[in-house]
Every structure is written in C-alpha cells, then in structure tokens.
Amino acid sequence: MTTLSTPRSSALRNGWILTQRELLHWERQPALPIFGLLFSIMLLLMFGFLFGGAIEVPGGGDYITFLLPGMFTLTMLFGVESTMLAMSTDAAKGITDRFRSMPIHSSAVALGRCGADMASSVLNLAVLLVGGLLIGWQITTDLGSALVGVLLLIWLRFAVLWVGIFLGLTFRNPAATMAVQVLIWPVGFLSNVFVAPETMPAWLGAVAAWNPISATATATRQLFGNPTGITTAWMNDSALLMATAWPLVLTLVFLPLSARAYRRLRR
Amino acid sequence: MSQSPSLQAVGLHKRYGDVTALDDFSLDCAPGSIHGLLGPNGAGKSTAVRALTTLIDVDSGTARVAGYAVRTESRRVRERIGLVGQGTAVDDILGGTQNLVMFGRLFGLSKTQAVSRAGELMAAFDLIEAADRPVSGYSGGMRRRLDICASLILSPAVLFLDEPTTGLDPRGRNEVWRTIRRIAADGTTVLLTTQYLDEADQLADSISVMKAGHVVRTGTPVELKKQLGSDRIVVTVSDAADLPRVTASVHSHSTPEIDSAARTVTIEAPSGTAALLATVRALDEAGIEPEDLVLRRPTLDEVFLALTSQEATS
Ligand SMILES: Nc1ncnc2c1ncn2[C@@H]1O[C@H](COP(=O)(O)OP(=O)(O)OP(=O)(O)O)[C@@H](O)[C@H]1O
Ligand SMILES: [Mg+2]
C-alpha cells in the first residue's frame, strides 16, 4: 500500500487540479472545444459577410472592423452558458456532492471552474482575434492599447463567470439552462454589437446604449482603433469607464451570491 | 464489543417544506460492520446518508462519524469517510485512472502518490484492463466499482454507499457485493442503503428498517426474521388424499395448515432443523413419501412488508 503522507491541500492547489480536469477533457474530446471555436468563426463570417454590405456605421467606417470587437464581446457574454452548464451538470451527476464530501476547501470548486473557463475563453478569443485579422479586421492603435482591449474582454468574461456559477448552482436542471440560453440572446443583441444604437428607434437605442455589453464593445473598438458608430461625445468618453465598472458591479453582486448558493447546497 | 460506534446518529430531524425527510432518526453502527439501511422509496435513506456525510445540515439532532461531530468538525469527518452516492459521481470523459488520480490529488496526495494509489485500487478492483478507457464506455458494474474506488483513496474509516447496486444486472450486482464484502473485511465500517431485501440479507451484519424518516426496527437479518414468526415446514404430497395422514402423523404445537389445491401441509417449526428431522422421521414411520419437503424461513421481504405496513397503521 502507498503510505499516505499528511494530505496537502490549499484552495489554489485544489482549484488548479480541477482546472486540469478541464484541460484533460480537451485532450480526451478535442471535438467539443473545436466545434465551439468553429461556431464562433461561423458567426463571425456569417454576420461579417451577410450583413456587411447592408449595414452602415454612423460616423463612417468599415462594417467588419466595427463588427469584430462586438463579436469578441458577444463571445465573452455567451461564455455564461458553458459555465452554467458545467456547474449544473456536475451538480446533477453528483460530482459536486463528491467534492463536497471531500476535505477540500469550499472555494476550490469555483476556482477550478474559473481556471477552466478562463482558459477556454482566452483560447477562444485568441482564435477569433486571428480569424478576424484574416478577414480584414485591423488594429490601428498601438500594442499597449490593444492589450488593454483584450484585458477588458477577459474582464467581462470573468464577470459573467460568476453569473454562470450562481445560475448553475441555483437552477440545477436542464430546463433552466435552456431558459438562460434563450434569455441571453436579447441581452447580447439589444446592444451595439451588430448595429449602432443611433440607427435604432429611440427607446431601443437607449436600452442598447446602456447595455453593459455595449460598454465593452465600444471601449474595445476605441482601444483597437475601430469605428465605434457613436457620434455623441459623452458616450465615447465614458465607454472605458463603463466597460471597467459594469463587470466590476456584476462580480461584486454575483461572486457573493455564488458563495451563498454553494453554502445553500447544505440546506 | 467495547469499542465506541463508528457512526452514531441521535434524533436527527430534517424537513423540506411540508415533507419530513428525517423524523427522529437514530442509528448506531459498530466498527467494522456492514450496516444495512433498508426502506422504500422516499423513506429518507439518501437524506440520512447526506446528513451523515456533511452534505446537508439537519434541523436538529446530533451525529458523530469516525469519532467526530458531523456538524462542527465536518472537515475531520470528511477526511475519514468515503461516499458513493446514488448515481455514479465520476467524470465520464476522463479515463478510470485519470479520475482516481484527480480525486487522489484533491484528497491531498502528491501526483506520484495519487498515480500509485490509483494503480493499486484499479488492480484490486479488476479495472486494470479498462484503466485508460473513458468511463463513458464502462459497464454499469465497472462504473460502480470505479465510483467505490474513488471513495476508498484515503482508506476511509466509514464508507457510505447509497443504493450501490440499483440499476445493475445480476452480474454487476455480484461484482459490487464482492467488492463491499472485501472492504468490510479490511476493517472499514460500511453503511449501505438499499431497497433490495436480499441485498441487505446477503451483505449486512445488522439492518435498520426505515419508514417515513424513522428507523422502525434494527437487528441482524436472523433476528428480524425471527421477530416476524417461526420457521415453517411445508410438506407436499403427490395425492391430496394423503393430506390427512400427514397431519395425523407429524407433531406440531399448532394445527397444521392444509392446502388441498396445492397438496401441501404447512407446519410451524419453532425449533427449525430439529423439527424438520422429527417430521422426516414421522413421515417415514407413517410410510408417507412426500413429493417435496422444505424448511421455510420467513423472508426479509415478509419482514419488510410487515414492518412498513403495520407501523403505518399504528
Ligand atoms: N432537496 C430536497 N428538497 C425537497 N424534498 C426533498 C429533498 N430531498 C429529499 N426530499 C424528500 O424527502 C423525502 C426522503 O427522500 P430521500 O431521497 O431521502 O428518500 P430515499 O429513501 O433515499 O428514497 P429513494 O429510495 O427513492 O432514493 C422524500 O419525500 C423526498 O421527496
Ligand atoms: Mg435515495
């Protein structure tokens, strides 16, 4: 028998082990992440070339270069689905219960999810960035600004991670996952991702302008040097602030809610 | 047995809205024994297991497992228990070894330790040839054994198994039974829930029958059967006309029961095999050659049905 030394255990180490679980999934079933990437690329090509000619960007500019930062943003938002699905699947199969019956730190499960989903999102984003450059998208600013743009996208993904963990722990059935998958579309589309709010009816434009997704899309457009489709100065000026603040608010709300939902599994 | 129990629950209560899942649930399990928790659907078996494995908080009552209080020393408890829940809690995409290595490392083993422990367990539970295959391709019995392996990584003092053979074919069930017997033989206390009476009869040293969140009876399988009634001898003859001769020749405390259609005489036999021998001699002396002669003990099924329906009305 193996002699078992005093168990080493820290939340970070446990989180890292659970992140590795996801990496092993990729290795075992590469088809899944690859189809995920293909889906993003398909959306990119579809919207870029299908609507590219028909949609005009207020203030001028090429539609593809306007669209791409929006698509990056949308991809980060849609990450909420995979986070939620992963959480609820583990709960439904009793894997979460197994973890909870083990002497591991209570934050390990969330940390593992965080590591896994951030890794897959960064990969997804990298593929989209390269794909975008290949179909004519450009970064016209300096490397530093572009990097801040990428960080803002990842920051948004981090915020919706907690929304996904909360939802996955709270609604543990496939029907709830479906509902979120349906509800996420208006959140993503009632924004400035595809068209500039200025071209929308007034009320819709207002909704789209204040959508947290729009803030990240606009800020990254600015940071990549792409057209923003916004002609009002204050909105252009406040985009970076909003793109930082919105995810922060989401995180401040949903991280504690996630921790609470995890504790409430004991009820 | 002077050792303190490995598992002790006193007066656990747990409500879910209007449903009382545990109602003054109490249980004692002796170290190294297999204890069966038997009950129909919704009796509260899983709730009891979840409460004892720190997964849920009870509304009131206390429980100690492996020497520690479940509520206040949950981490210590978790270091000493293994849980095989209802439904297999292993990662389908990963291979068997990968699963065990992951759980081993989560339990605090180093990578090398986890790999060698996984190898030991896979070998001990006959999973070596499937070690690298994804678990999604395992048979039900193999998945269950892997699930059990995952809960044995730190050699737990108390192992909880929630309906470990539900959904398995007879072969898979036998594999799992053998596994459980071996674990108990190694000194681990096993608490096993089941809806199958033969399973409890086969495996458990003692059984608690549960109903509506409450333990209604505890005892060894033999004791439980005895409480219900004595053994009976059933004599079958080839010609119904012989039945009165049978009743006349055998000795019995109570009037033998005659079933002419089935051509049987049923005789109460509190002394079991001694009564059987006496009956054989009596029939021989009377020159009766029975078609069939069996000693019937009450089955646990009968005990179970009696307990779970009789207590319902009282
Ligand atoms: N999380 C929960 N929320 C609401 N009710 C619950 C919950 N868990 C259990 N119950 C209820 O408590 C009762 C006992 O359930 P439990 O799962 O413990 O029964 P069981 O004996 O394990 O049944 P089975 O043989 O079907 O597994 C049932 O009426 C069940 O509906
Ligand atoms: Mg159950």
Side-chain angles (χ1 to χ4, degrees), chain B:
Chain B
M1 247 196 246
S2 56
Q3 272 171 295
S4 60
S6 302
L7 187 159
Q8 185 171 44
V10 183
L12 302 187
H13 284 267
K14 176 72 181 176
R15 289 181 68 87
Y16 289 110
D18 290 341
V19 179
T20 303
L22 292 181
D23 183 12
D24 194 19
F25 174 89
S26 300
L27 190 69
D28 266 350
C29 298
S33 67
I34 302 184
H35 196 101
L37 195 55
L38 193 61
N41 284 126
K45 304 181 295 293
S46 296
T47 308
V49 167
R50 293 170 64 76
L52 293 169
T53 52
T54 77
L55 292 183
I56 54 169
D57 290 326
V58 290
D59 303 330
S60 62
T62 57
R64 295 182 73 79
V65 170
Y68 292 93
V70 169
R71 202 200 283 252
T72 53
E73 298 165 304
S74 54
R75 196 187 160 95
R76 297 236 173 263
V77 171
R78 288 179 194 150
E79 283 166 359
R80 287 161 180 79
I81 60 169
L83 168 64
V84 180
Q86 208 171 345
T88 40
V90 283
D91 189 308
D92 278 334
I93 301 171
L94 300 185
T97 303
Q98 282 179 324
N99 263 287
L100 295 188
V101 170
M102 170 181 74
F103 287 120
R105 294 180 66 204
L106 284 174
F107 270 124
L109 303 186
S110 71
K111 198 160 190 168
T112 6
Q113 284 175 324
V115 169
S116 85
R117 183 72 179 133
E120 283 172 11
L121 287 165
M122 298 291 281
F125 294 96
D126 246 3
L127 290 165
I128 281 291
E129 101 284 1
D132 294 324
R133 294 214 311 263
V135 174
S136 53
Y138 281 25
S139 74
M142 288 162 72
R143 290 167 72 94
R144 225 4 125 159
R145 277 182 286 146
L146 181 68
D147 206 0
I148 294 175
C149 285
S151 57
L152 290 179
I153 290 170
L154 285 195
S155 306
V158 185
L159 177 66
F160 294 86
L161 298 154
D162 196 357
E163 299 194 19
T165 61
T166 300
L168 298 187
D169 61 18
R171 182 201 160 110
R173 190 193 279 207
N174 268 321
E175 291 170 0
V176 169
W177 281 359
R178 226 179 311 136
T179 304
I180 295 171
R181 286 199 188 97
R182 267 193 35 199
I183 295 165
D186 288 344
T188 301
T189 306
V190 176
L191 179 68
L192 160 100
T193 81
T194 180
Q195 302 186 32
Y196 301 123
L197 305 139
D198 58 327
E199 180 160 296
D201 204 1
Q202 287 275 337
L203 288 178
D205 301 312
S206 53
I207 297 177
S208 292
V209 181
M210 216 184 153
K211 183 177 179 302
H214 188 73
V215 172
V216 290
R217 197 67 59 86
T218 296
T220 65
V222 174
E223 280 167 359
L224 286 182
K225 290 179 207 166
K226 273 218 181 102
Q227 281 179 11
L228 190 80
S230 63
D231 297 347
R232 280 160 299 165
I233 294 164
V234 183
V235 185
T236 312
V237 288
S238 42
D239 185 354
D242 288 339
L243 289 173
R245 284 177 59 217
V246 174
T247 35
S249 59
V250 299
H251 320 274
S252 172
H253 308 277
S254 53
T255 338
E257 232 175 82
I258 300 179
D259 184 338
S260 334
R263 302 187 313 275
T264 59
V265 175
T266 304
I267 305 146
E268 284 216 9
S271 55
T273 42
L276 182 65
L277 283 174
T279 306
V280 170
R281 274 188 227 109
L283 290 173
D284 193 34
E285 276 163 25
I288 302 165
E289 201 167 306
E291 187 179 281
D292 196 10
L293 178 65
V294 289
L295 176 65
R296 272 199 50 198
R297 309 216 126 105
T299 63
L300 262 187
D301 278 278
E302 291 166 314
V303 178
F304 182 67
L305 288 172
L307 282 176
T308 51
S309 54
Q310 149 211 332
E311 312 274 330
T313 44
S314 70

Side-chain angles (χ1 to χ4, degrees), chain A residues 190-208:
Chain A
L190 294 180
S191 69
N192 65 12
V193 164
F194 296 103
V195 290
E198 289 178 23
T199 65
M200 300 176 185
W203 65 272
L204 201 59
V207 171

Side-chain angles (χ1 to χ4, degrees), chain A residues 113-123 154-155 157-159 161:
Chain A
R113 194 72 263 143
C114 179
D117 286 356
M118 294 316 283
S120 79
S121 298
V122 166
L123 182 73
I154 294 172
W155 177 223
R157 179 65 184 88
F158 181 76
L161 171 87

